[in-house]
Amino acid sequence: QVQLMESGGGSVQSGGSLRLTCEVRGWPYGRICLGWFRQAAEKGREGVARIGDDGYVAYADSVKGRFTISQRNTRPAQGPFTTSPENTPNMVSLEMNGLQPEDAGMYYCAADPLHCSVVAAFPSSYEFWGQGTQVSVSP
């Protein structure tokens, strides 16, 4: 059973920073695209950033230069076969600097076995989701 668990949300003042982390458990596929989405009150879910196991990275225009997505695999390498699920990243982080009130909302971690260029920033393309972590930014 795939589980995504976010942490690191909180409340900051405008201009502040937060770091979100998501741990992936039970991933059964040899490839993974990890994404961060956010949803403000009464608005749709929007893509913030995504990163592929091959290093592919993409950001929403609104966060470029302020947010940084990164990934890592905390498990021991399982030999040279890159298609092993154990060789996929199981942690994804989002470093958020220069936060503004418009960045506030519920932040979700998402994962899919297709390449990030395929799933892009469309929420409906991602198969697995975390429960979300709240980010609040005061003026």
Side-chain angles (χ1 to χ4, degrees), residues 72-126:
R72 61 192 177 110
N73 185 3
T74 63
R75 299 159 297 183
Q78 300 297 312
F81 302 105
T82 59
T83 58
S84 169
E86 293 298 311
N87 284 341
T88 59
N90 65 335
M91 299 284 285
V92 59
S93 297
L94 186 68
E95 186 74 34
M96 304 185 294
N97 298 312
L99 284 162
Q100 301 299 317
E102 54 266 33
D103 294 315
M106 187 69 80
Y107 280 68
Y108 298 91
C109 174
D112 196 89
L114 296 179
H115 193 269
C116 283
S117 61
V118 176
V119 292
F122 305 117
S124 60
S125 298
Y126 290 76

Side-chain angles (χ1 to χ4, degrees), residues 14-138:
S14 181
S17 299
L18 284 173
R19 181 181 177 88
L20 307 182
T21 300
C22 173
E23 180 182 1
V24 182
R25 296 182 179 178
W27 190 254
Y29 305 105
R31 306 301 301 270
I32 190 169
C33 174
L34 292 160
W36 284 100
F37 290 77
R38 65 187 180 190
Q39 187 166 12
E42 300 181 1
K43 291 188 176 180
R45 194 167 295 188
E46 65 170 345
V48 176
R50 61 193 183 273
I51 186 167
D53 53 66
D54 61 354
Y56 175 102
V57 173
Y59 295 93
D61 288 341
S62 60
V63 305
K64 284 181 180 177
R66 299 188 298 123
F67 290 13
T68 302
I69 190 170
S70 60
Q71 65 184 11
R72 61 192 177 110
N73 185 3
T74 63
R75 299 159 297 183
Q78 300 297 312
F81 302 105
T82 59
T83 58
S84 169
E86 293 298 311
N87 284 341
T88 59
N90 65 335
M91 299 284 285
V92 59
S93 297
L94 186 68
E95 186 74 34
M96 304 185 294
N97 298 312
L99 284 162
Q100 301 299 317
E102 54 266 33
D103 294 315
M106 187 69 80
Y107 280 68
Y108 298 91
C109 174
D112 196 89
L114 296 179
H115 193 269
C116 283
S117 61
V118 176
V119 292
F122 305 117
S124 60
S125 298
Y126 290 76
E127 183 172 356
F128 302 99
W129 290 85
Q131 293 300 307
T133 184
Q134 185 70 41
V135 171
S136 300
V137 185
S138 56

